[in-house]
Amino acid sequence: MKKRLLIALLPVLLTACAEKDQYQAAVLAHIQKDQQLQQEQHLKDYKTDPERLAKCVVDTSANKMPGIFIYDPSRLTAFRNYTKMLNAPFAPDPKKAFEELRILFTPEHTLAEAHANFTESMLDCYSAMVSESEPDAK
């Protein structure tokens, strides 16, 4: 019986991991793009690890996403939509991509709220990582 339950849940678990991994990859690409363009000089100043920062941002932003737990279908949809949000500026037709995003994000969780959640998570993680590195510098 346990094996059957595990086999039945395996596709859901794998899908959940894939959605979260895709979101984390999009966050990492966003951080590396910023680092490459030197738009966020504090990445160089404080020598933050982009992979660790991306994991922090994903975990922090997930706390304010719809859904109760990581395998909740609404949470999986949120991961997928956040990934599309981060990749929209690089789409062949960004205007069309943003229009699609407005449709994807439901009224209770708008595109603006999602972007604010992502930005706040980035700032919180930067702050946490910088405060960790400051005692070492003294």
Side-chain angles (χ1 to χ4, degrees):
M1 182 67 180
K2 290 181 183 179
K3 288 182 182 179
R4 289 182 184 169
L5 181 62
L6 181 63
I7 290 172
L9 289 177
L10 193 60
V12 173
L13 297 175
L14 292 175
T15 302
C17 291
E19 297 295 340
K20 185 176 179 182
D21 289 345
Q22 288 175 351
Y23 175 51
Q24 188 165 340
V27 171
L28 181 60
H30 179 79
I31 291 168
Q32 289 173 337
K33 179 85 170 168
D34 283 346
Q35 193 175 24
Q36 184 180 28
L37 296 175
Q38 297 180 1
Q39 291 178 350
E40 296 184 7
Q41 188 64 34
H42 55 278
L43 282 174
K44 289 175 122 180
D45 293 343
Y46 294 104
K47 294 180 177 60
T48 54
D49 178 28
E51 287 84 16
R52 187 169 165 230
L53 183 60
K55 182 172 178 11
C56 177
V57 171
V58 169
D59 293 342
T60 305
S61 64
N63 292 335
K64 292 185 181 178
M65 286 182 183
I68 300 170
F69 55 95
I70 192 169
Y71 303 113
D72 188 336
S74 59
R75 178 70 56 95
L76 299 178
T77 302
F79 280 135
R80 195 175 312 118
N81 292 345
Y82 273 60
T83 302
K84 288 180 182 179
M85 177 183 71
L86 291 176
N87 292 331
F90 309 110
D93 186 5
K95 185 175 180 179
K96 183 179 177 183
F98 281 110
E99 289 300 321
E100 181 184 329
L101 284 173
R102 285 193 186 99
I103 294 168
L104 288 175
F105 282 91
T106 59
E108 66 267 1
H109 194 72
T110 65
L111 179 58
E113 289 172 350
H115 196 272
N117 180 24
F118 173 74
T119 304
E120 287 173 13
S121 298
M122 287 283 285
L123 293 175
D124 289 346
C125 290
Y126 279 135
S127 176
M129 293 183 85
V130 166
S131 66
E132 285 177 4
S133 67
E134 283 181 352
D136 295 335
K138 290 181 181 178

